Amino acid sequence: MNDKLGEIYELRFSGYEDYRTKVWQILVNNFFNKWIRSDFEILDLGCGYGEFINQVNCSTRYAMDLNPRTKDHLDKEIIFYEQDCSMPWELKPSSLDLVFTSNFFEHLPNKSTLDSTVRNIYKALKPNGLLIAMGPNISILKGQYWDFWDHHVALSEQSISELLEINQFKIEKSVSQFLPYNMVRIKKRPLFLLKLYLKMPFAWKIFGKQFLVTAKKA
């Protein structure tokens, strides 16, 4: 599958690049910024085209992905690692304040790879460093979870939280329903609706299909 990453991403997101960038600007500025400080060192794990990390204002920005086309989409100041996230990282141990990952864990080939990745995250984070993880929730989506060819590992907020706790993380926040499932194969929605949506957690219970989990390195 790795040799087709570029093709899959181009096929799936072609025509949505500008829209996704604007969506992530809103998500970062209106929601995720509460966990980000200007002096932080942050890694975007499974960063795709850098939709999250390109919007972040912090001291040092890192990105990791296996897609060789990723680097062309990242701000030039971002340090990019093109590697298998389950293998040892070049990043120094206890060097990161925050690891962010969105819609990535489910693409890993198996649970063993995911477990190795979580252990690498733990090693790279500073004491009390934070992991923010988002992804499609199998408990909510049921069969729709498999509508994407490269989904391999089925996860819910409970299963990912259990894995994190096994690896010595302390769960800070666990939301079973946060954002809708995806931004492709659908009509592009007006961006002002997203700003309203983020302010109305009651609406998450209706439209949310992705979990949001935050966990600290114990």
Side-chain angles (χ1 to χ4, degrees):
M1 190 75 72
N2 291 345
D3 59 343
K4 294 187 176 182
L5 278 177
E7 296 174 44
I8 291 172
Y9 222 78
E10 288 290 336
L11 176 65
R12 187 168 295 162
F13 298 114
S14 179
Y16 285 84
E17 294 88 350
D18 290 343
Y19 176 67
R20 285 170 60 82
T21 296
K22 291 173 182 176
V23 165
W24 277 101
Q25 285 173 346
I26 293 170
L27 289 173
V28 171
N29 292 331
N30 293 59
F31 189 81
F32 289 110
N33 259 344
K34 61 189 172 187
W35 286 296
I36 297 169
R37 292 194 340 218
S38 59
D39 60 340
F40 271 12
E41 296 194 21
I42 296 177
L43 168 67
D44 187 353
L45 178 61
C47 63
Y49 283 170
E51 291 91 346
F52 168 80
I53 200 66
N54 281 339
Q55 318 306 325
V56 171
N57 178 25
C58 66
S59 173
T60 309
R61 295 181 291 170
Y62 303 95
M64 187 180 295
D65 204 289
L66 266 178
N67 186 351
R69 303 180 191 179
T70 290
K71 191 173 184 179
D72 296 334
H73 297 268
L74 299 175
D75 292 349
K76 65 179 187 300
E77 298 87 3
I78 294 172
I79 300 168
F80 177 56
Y81 296 101
E82 183 185 331
Q83 71 155 93
D84 180 342
C85 60
S86 67
M87 300 301 290
W89 292 4
E90 294 181 41
L91 282 158
K92 294 180 181 179
S94 301
S95 62
L96 298 174
D97 298 283
L98 173 66
V99 173
F100 178 88
T101 187
S102 171
N103 289 259
F104 175 62
F105 285 161
E106 68 274 12
H107 296 283
L108 295 176
N110 51 57
K111 290 186 176 182
S112 176
T113 303
L114 176 53
D115 182 61
S116 296
T117 300
V118 167
R119 283 188 271 115
N120 284 339
I121 294 170
Y122 189 90
K123 183 178 179 180
L125 283 170
K126 296 176 181 177
N128 293 315
L130 188 68
L131 167 66
I132 301 175
M134 286 171 48
N137 191 333
I138 186 68
S139 296
I140 307 299
L141 286 163
K142 311 299 183 183
Q144 283 184 290
Y145 196 91
W146 306 111
D147 284 351
F148 291 90
W149 172 245
D150 52 346
H151 281 191
H152 301 290
V153 183
L155 295 167
S156 69
E157 85 286 358
Q158 293 190 44
S159 60
I160 192 61
S161 294
E162 185 173 57
L163 173 61
L164 293 173
E165 288 176 327
I166 289 169
N167 284 281
Q168 302 179 56
F169 280 91
K170 179 183 177 182
I171 304 302
E172 296 280 299
K173 186 182 186 71
S174 178
V175 179
S176 61
Q177 294 175 255
F178 178 42
L179 294 180
Y181 188 18
N182 67 80
M183 288 185 285
V184 298
R185 305 176 188 169
I186 59 171
K187 183 179 180 181
K188 297 177 184 178
R189 302 180 179 95
L191 294 171
F192 78 90
L193 291 177
L194 176 58
K195 293 181 181 179
L196 289 175
Y197 181 82
L198 292 172
K199 296 177 180 178
M200 300 187 298
F202 66 86
W204 304 357
K205 289 293 184 180
I206 302 171
F207 301 104
K209 308 295 182 184
Q210 297 189 49
F211 62 76
L212 170 68
V213 172
T214 66
K216 276 192 175 181
K217 179 174 179 176

